[in-house]
Amino acid sequence: SAAASVQGVQGAMESLATIAEVFRNASVPQQPQLAEFGLCYVAFVGEHERRYRGERLLQIAAQQASAAAMAHDISLRQCLITDQPERRRPYIQDIIPLLSSADAAPFLSRCDEYTRRFSRPCKLYFGYMAKAIAVARAPYELTLFADTDTFTCTAKPFPAIQRLMKEYDVLTLFPRTTQGWVNSGLMAVRRSATADWAARWLDEFKSLDDFGDQLHLLKVLPYASRGAISAQPLRVGELAAELHLRHGSVADVQGQVWLAPLRGEAMMLHSKGLASVTGIVPRVLSLFRARGDSLSSSQQQLLTRLSTPETALAQRAHGADAPGTRASIHRRGRQLAQVAKEGGRGAAHPPPPYSPRALAAVCLLLNDGVPWSGTRQVVLNSNASCVGCSDLTHSPGGAGVISDPSASAGSSFICEATVGDCGVRPAVWPSSPDQPGLPDWYRSFLLRRGSIPSS
């Protein structure tokens, strides 16, 4: 049974006590629909006593989304789907138990091999598959799933996403790089269309083709969109970078950081790397404070976030366990001691800071001056601005802009509640193993399975 299998793994590196509660190996009651639209997060911990490691990020993300929605008079419900439904989180309206009818045994039997292949604990294996389970438990008819390291710049496109979802069942990002050909860090799903493809997504974790959840989607969504998984073809669309701005790690926070060229306002950032570029905060704060009453409601909200000291933000997120408190210092000491004991590098190289003030500063810079023609590219730790250039002077703490009015001619970016496609388009799948950016294992998968049918 799942409970007996759990007993056999509990002597490993981490506890998986909640697995038998999540995986029922029997039918589970359908999650009632709670609203037409909402934003949802997923948190898997593995045990009830331990605090979710992303708790601070979760609270920052949820509180910022609420504040951004209020700035536009948008009513927003938020949910958390978790194996710790008993924990009180007053900043989340709906707490949903993470439940699956699947059997845990096939996944538990792969724990050792998962750790051997990817040098990651089995708890992360189940943490990644939690989103596949959560999608099938979506509590809103249109649910926007967001990772906890996302940050809402503006909620203005939320009504537009609801309108666009009349034509789609799934919306997600397609970066098309070897680091991530598809990215589900922000994914809109239609609740009534999730059952079949979400179950297939979960099942693909048994293959151990990849350590995470993202690329397993490429073994499911393309075929679901052709009607090969359920009776009705799944309507899948691609999110534009303006709706989901994904940026990777930042190796040098003092060096220049080039953000993606945008045709319009950025809705949501998804980047721990940008959260570490704290050097831009003083200059951006000074720049936007000087504008006073000329700021929009969205800019005012971001300026408020930018003006709030990190200690106050951390106290709101952690309570008595805020960074710098006695509890936090003791907790961090235990973490570093454990990392050192396991031979890791964390003791000498603590993780970079995650600063919501830095993210608010990036949002203000990205969305300053809308609307504009063509594209506008922000370069952090630079100076001045130019049109059509390819380089900017290095200036730590500053920010420059490269404008290209001729870019995207004839395809202006419109994303209003009642008009505009927000850059969303039907998904384009990899057509052959030679497609740029595909990982080697997915090339092998395409060769085994055959190219994705075009119709």
Side-chain angles (χ1 to χ4, degrees):
S1 70
S5 299
V6 171
Q7 294 291 331
V9 217
Q10 284 186 330
M13 293 174 61
E14 74 287 333
S15 171
L16 295 170
T18 63
I19 293 299
E21 300 168 19
V22 173
F23 290 84
R24 297 300 179 90
N25 195 22
S27 61
V28 297
Q30 184 179 17
Q31 168 60 41
Q33 181 177 320
L34 303 179
E36 281 298 315
F37 176 79
L39 188 60
C40 207
Y41 310 91
V42 183
F44 174 81
V45 185
E47 52 191 304
H48 291 289
E49 295 76 18
R50 188 177 297 273
R51 189 170 178 272
Y52 175 48
R53 63 177 184 153
E55 195 73 44
R56 176 173 179 256
L57 273 64
L58 169 63
Q59 183 157 358
I60 288 170
Q63 289 182 331
Q64 173 59 23
S66 293
M70 287 179 62
H72 285 282
D73 293 323
I74 293 172
S75 176
L76 177 67
R77 285 186 76 152
Q78 297 188 81
C79 84
L80 176 68
I81 303 180
T82 178
D83 62 339
Q84 290 185 334
E86 76 282 357
R87 289 215 171 209
R88 181 175 175 270
R89 293 175 170 98
Y91 50 90
I92 296 284
Q93 290 95 331
D94 303 311
I95 306 293
I96 311 297
L98 187 69
L99 296 176
S100 172
S101 60
D103 183 5
F107 301 106
L108 288 166
S109 68
R110 288 163 169 80
C111 276
D112 289 344
E113 178 62 17
Y114 178 87
T115 300
R116 188 192 68 79
R117 286 192 191 188
F118 305 115
S119 300
R120 295 167 183 254
C122 194
K123 183 179 289 188
L124 287 184
Y125 180 41
F126 285 97
Y128 283 119
M129 71 177 75
K131 185 177 289 185
I133 299 171
V135 162
R137 302 279 295 165
Y140 314 123
E141 176 54 22
L142 300 176
T143 304
L144 190 59
F145 281 94
D147 282 2
T148 54
D149 58 341
T150 53
F151 188 89
T152 306
C153 291
T154 175
K156 183 180 175 182
F158 285 179
I161 290 175
Q162 297 176 61
R163 171 175 55 82
L164 291 168
M165 281 295 287
K166 293 177 181 178
E167 306 296 328
Y168 295 98
D169 301 310
V170 177
L171 292 176
T172 194
L173 184 70
F174 289 75
R176 293 184 174 84
T177 69
T178 51
Q179 286 74 35
W181 211 90
V182 62
N183 188 287
S184 62
L186 187 69
M187 182 168 63
V189 303
R190 179 180 300 281
R191 164 190 163 93
S192 55
T194 59
D196 292 335
W197 71 266
R200 183 68 65 88
W201 186 15
L202 176 62
D203 196 58
E204 287 294 345
F205 281 83
K206 297 173 185 174
S207 71
L208 298 185
D209 280 335
D210 195 57
F211 69 86
D213 62 310
Q214 312 281 9
L215 289 171
H216 288 308
L217 274 176
L218 278 180
K219 296 189 291 182
V220 175
L221 291 184
Y223 297 93
S225 71
R226 303 305 182 194
I229 290 180
S230 55
Q232 293 296 323
L234 195 71
R235 301 171 300 171
V236 184
E238 299 188 19
L239 290 173
E242 288 81 4
L243 299 181
H244 180 187
L245 182 55
R246 181 76 175 106
H247 192 95
S249 60
V250 175
D252 180 9
V253 296
Q254 295 295 320
Q256 287 193 342
V257 182
W258 290 62
L259 306 183
L262 301 181
R263 297 165 296 159
E265 283 184 290
M267 179 182 78
M268 195 167 291
L269 298 182
H270 182 192
S271 175
K272 290 187 178 77
L274 293 178
S276 68
V277 189
T278 56
I280 64 172
V281 168
R283 199 175 298 187
V284 177
L285 181 59
S286 175
L287 173 66
F288 282 87
R289 267 183 176 168
R291 298 190 186 178
D293 295 337
S294 66
L295 298 178
S296 68
S297 59
S298 182
Q299 289 174 319
Q300 289 282 7
Q301 186 276 314
L302 289 166
L303 182 59
T304 299
R305 171 65 83 166
L306 181 61
S307 305
T308 307
E310 295 289 356
T311 51
L313 292 172
Q315 286 165 2
R316 292 176 191 171
H318 285 288
D321 200 15
T325 64
R326 187 186 300 265
S328 172
I329 292 169
H330 288 171
R331 178 168 53 85
R332 181 60 181 152
R334 291 193 300 270
Q335 290 173 341
L336 294 180
Q338 182 64 26
V339 171
K341 181 180 178 181
E342 295 172 2
R345 298 180 302 166
H349 302 279
Y354 187 88
S355 168
R357 297 183 73 199
L359 294 173
V362 172
C363 287
L364 283 166
L365 292 170
L366 284 171
N367 293 346
D368 192 27
V370 291
W372 54 78
S373 59
T375 63
R376 184 176 178 275
Q377 183 173 20
V378 172
V379 183
L380 306 180
N381 292 321
S382 61
N383 203 359
S385 299
C386 63
V387 176
C389 62
S390 59
D391 194 17
L392 288 176
T393 305
H394 180 238
S395 177
V401 174
I402 296 177
S403 300
D404 185 359
S406 64
S408 303
S411 59
S412 57
F413 185 84
I414 302 174
C415 192
E416 303 291 338
T418 58
V419 294
D421 63 9
C422 303
V424 171
R425 60 171 183 162
V428 178
W429 307 111
S431 56
S432 75
D434 299 325
Q435 191 87 25
L438 292 176
D440 290 340
W441 72 259
Y442 192 74
R443 297 178 194 278
S444 300
F445 167 77
L446 281 179
L447 289 170
R448 294 195 311 269
R449 184 76 171 264
S451 297
I452 296 164
S454 58
S455 62

